[in-house]
């Protein structure tokens, strides 16, 4: 029983180290979202390209990290005699002694606050990008609708026909 308890505590320590790296990854994502918004506002294409390359480079390392976390979770589930899907931080809280329980609670609280902040920053980025898209659409519409009179013509059948002549672009030779 003692070796099983020690084994479980060792796996929990590995999980806590892994979760600490997750929290660092979330903080990096927060920083990247701020940079993204800044580059979009400044219209800094080179900065956006550099940021894209950094994100792509980090994706593979994070996939490996996520795989490691899932492996630790499965090992922990086997040690506790349950399914991997049942192993959550809340479930671990209930099964661990006081010292490890406090560490899990602290990490859970930290991750939840970071995730809440990430959701807020993600929403801010989405709103900025959607406003940029809306503004670009309005600009394009105003450019290409320049010179249109908005007149509607009727043919001999009574069907409506939009005016195709524009002062901005003339395709007639």
């Amino acid at each position: 029983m003692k070796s099983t308890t020690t084994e479980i505590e060792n796996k929990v320590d590995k999980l806590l180290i892994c979760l600490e790296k997750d929290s660092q990854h979330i903080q990096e994502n927060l920083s990247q979202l701020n940079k993204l918004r800044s580059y979009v506002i400044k219209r800094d294409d080179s900065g956006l390209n550099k940021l894209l390359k950094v994100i792509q480079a980090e994706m593979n390392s994070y996939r490996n990290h996520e795989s490691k976390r899932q492996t630790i979770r499965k090992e922990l589930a086997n040690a506790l005699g349950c399914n991997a899907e049942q192993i959550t931080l809340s479930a671990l809280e209930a099964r661990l002694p006081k010292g490890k329980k406090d560490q899990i609670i602290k990490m859970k609280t930290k991750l939840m606050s970071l995730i809440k902040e990430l959701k807020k920053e993600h929403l801010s980025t989405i709103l900025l990008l959607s406003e940029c898209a809306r503004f670009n659409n309005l600009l394009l519409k105003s450019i290409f609708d320049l010179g249109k009179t908005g007149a509607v013509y009727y043919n001999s059948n009574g069907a409506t026909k939009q005016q195709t002549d524009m002062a901005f672009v003339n395709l007639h030779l």
Side-chain angles (χ1 to χ4, degrees):
M1 183 69 182
K2 177 117 174 144
S3 65
T4 306
T5 305
T6 306
E7 178 185 352
I8 291 171
E9 287 183 4
N10 288 338
K11 291 186 188 314
V12 169
D13 289 338
K14 286 182 184 179
L15 181 65
L16 286 169
I17 290 169
C18 196
L19 292 175
E20 183 61 38
K21 189 169 180 179
D22 283 337
S23 73
Q24 291 170 357
H25 180 72
I26 293 170
Q27 289 170 342
E28 288 171 12
N29 284 340
L30 287 167
S31 172
Q32 289 170 347
L33 284 173
N34 285 330
K35 286 179 186 176
L36 174 68
R37 286 193 306 269
S38 172
Y39 292 150
V40 167
I41 290 170
K42 293 176 184 175
R43 296 178 6 185
D44 183 0
D45 290 337
S46 65
L48 284 170
N49 285 331
K50 289 177 187 175
L51 182 62
L52 179 62
K53 288 176 184 174
V54 167
I55 291 170
Q56 288 173 339
E58 290 176 356
M59 277 178 35
N60 287 334
S61 68
Y62 189 72
R63 278 190 198 120
N64 294 336
H65 172 73
E66 193 168 335
S67 174
K68 180 181 175 185
R69 182 177 4 92
Q70 292 303 326
T71 302
I72 293 170
R73 187 176 174 201
K74 288 176 186 173
E75 290 172 358
L76 198 53
N78 288 337
L80 291 170
C82 60
N83 293 330
E85 293 81 27
Q86 294 173 326
I87 296 297
T88 62
L89 293 179
S90 297
L92 279 175
E93 263 179 61
R95 295 181 179 207
L96 294 175
K98 179 78 171 139
K100 295 293 176 187
K101 181 179 183 176
D102 291 341
Q103 290 176 338
I104 292 290
I105 291 171
K106 184 178 175 184
M107 182 57 68
K108 181 180 164 184
T109 305
K110 180 179 180 180
L111 287 171
M112 287 176 68
S113 68
L114 283 171
I115 289 169
K116 184 179 178 181
E117 187 177 346
L118 182 65
K119 286 180 180 179
K120 183 182 86 173
E121 294 297 322
H122 183 259
L123 179 63
S124 297
T125 305
I126 288 172
L127 291 173
L128 173 68
L129 294 176
S130 67
E131 279 299 304
C132 287
R134 186 183 69 80
F135 185 72
N136 286 341
N137 286 335
L138 285 172
L139 273 174
L140 288 172
K141 185 176 180 181
S142 69
I143 289 171
F144 289 112
D145 283 347
L146 185 72
K148 279 194 175 181
T149 61
V152 177
Y153 297 100
Y154 294 92
N155 63 13
S156 61
N157 296 335
T160 60
K161 180 180 174 185
Q162 292 277 337
Q163 177 188 359
T164 57
D165 297 341
M166 288 181 44
F168 188 68
V169 177
N170 188 355
L171 297 177
H172 290 98
L173 295 175

